[in-house]
Amino acid sequence: MRNCLLYIFILSALTSCTEESRYADITEKGPYQDGFFILGEDNSLGNIDYSSNDFTKFKTNVFFSENQENLSSIPEGGLTYGKWLYLISDEGIIKIDRYTLKKDIARTDTEVRNLCDITVYKDHAYLSVANTTAPKILKIDLSTLKTVDSLSLTSVPDKIFAFNNRIYTLIKGDDSQYSNKIIAINTGTFNIEKELNVGFGPNDFAPIGNQILISCHGHKTNGTNDEDGSLWVLSTNNTVKEVFNWSAITPNIHEDIQGIGTSYNGLVYYLANAELYGVDGIDPNAFVQASKLSDRQYDRISVFNYKAVAVHKEDYKIDIFQDLELNKSINSTAKPIIAVD
């Protein structure tokens, strides 16, 4: 099941927008420190390649090399927290040593099927379960992966993140069934605190300053431009505001926005109709003047540290951008799906 779309992205500090101790207490090192992983699909199995941050080292199929077994399912997402790498898929969640790539534990029971995204807040992981018949948010123990709490939803969740002492999940939307909302969850009661209305199909998020930038896909049917892609800002007072709509650039041409990411130095990268754009800051006027960074077509982008990573739409390559310019291209041995730093 690909309810949450098979995005290719690089997970970074987005999983906890307060940068909550993500790199704290790192005491164990190994051959895979100081780099990032490219997760992908290889003959219907999951695959992990490794690249050093300076791109001088590149190793293929490293999970198999360290464990003598393949990832049994194709990863949908993941994050690093402390020394651990957590990967999610349609079939469950797996916990791996981030520095040695040695598998620790996995969970594959029916409750953790059809996982779409993961975030961490106060030493617990929160999972969005994109099951059309039983959509929910799970709170699990990071050590054991056992369920601590569960919140049933009426709509299928997509991306999930922690911000301002709440858990938020994007409701991607469907033409006939679902509203296009962001749901705010109270972490104390683990109940829905508020629903926020945004544009059609919220599909990605990125922290910038003390706010969260949210991209919405847009909508078009039968050749009619129902709604262009848009960008929204979520503030600490638990309100949202539209800051950019593609109609400001091409009012007579429909454009979709597929994803967004922000770097540590405040640069914003986003995909519109599979083309990559970049802008400095979130001023609405700046978005109108955003630069197209490449003529290539991309499936997804995501950003970590000062890098933006974009995955080619048609081949096994990723392009890495820094300061709004192409810095490096990497060939992967499998079809890239997601990369995790």
Side-chain angles (χ1 to χ4, degrees), residues 7-20:
Y7 289 145
I8 301 102
F9 70 94
I10 289 192
L11 277 225
S12 64
L14 303 184
T15 57
S16 176
C17 300
T18 58
E19 286 296 293
E20 177 211 335

Side-chain angles (χ1 to χ4, degrees), residues 77-93:
L79 60 81
T80 56
Y81 188 75
K83 64 171 285 187
W84 299 109
L85 167 64
Y86 297 86
L87 301 182
I88 60 167
S89 71
D90 282 347
E91 297 182 10
I93 181 170

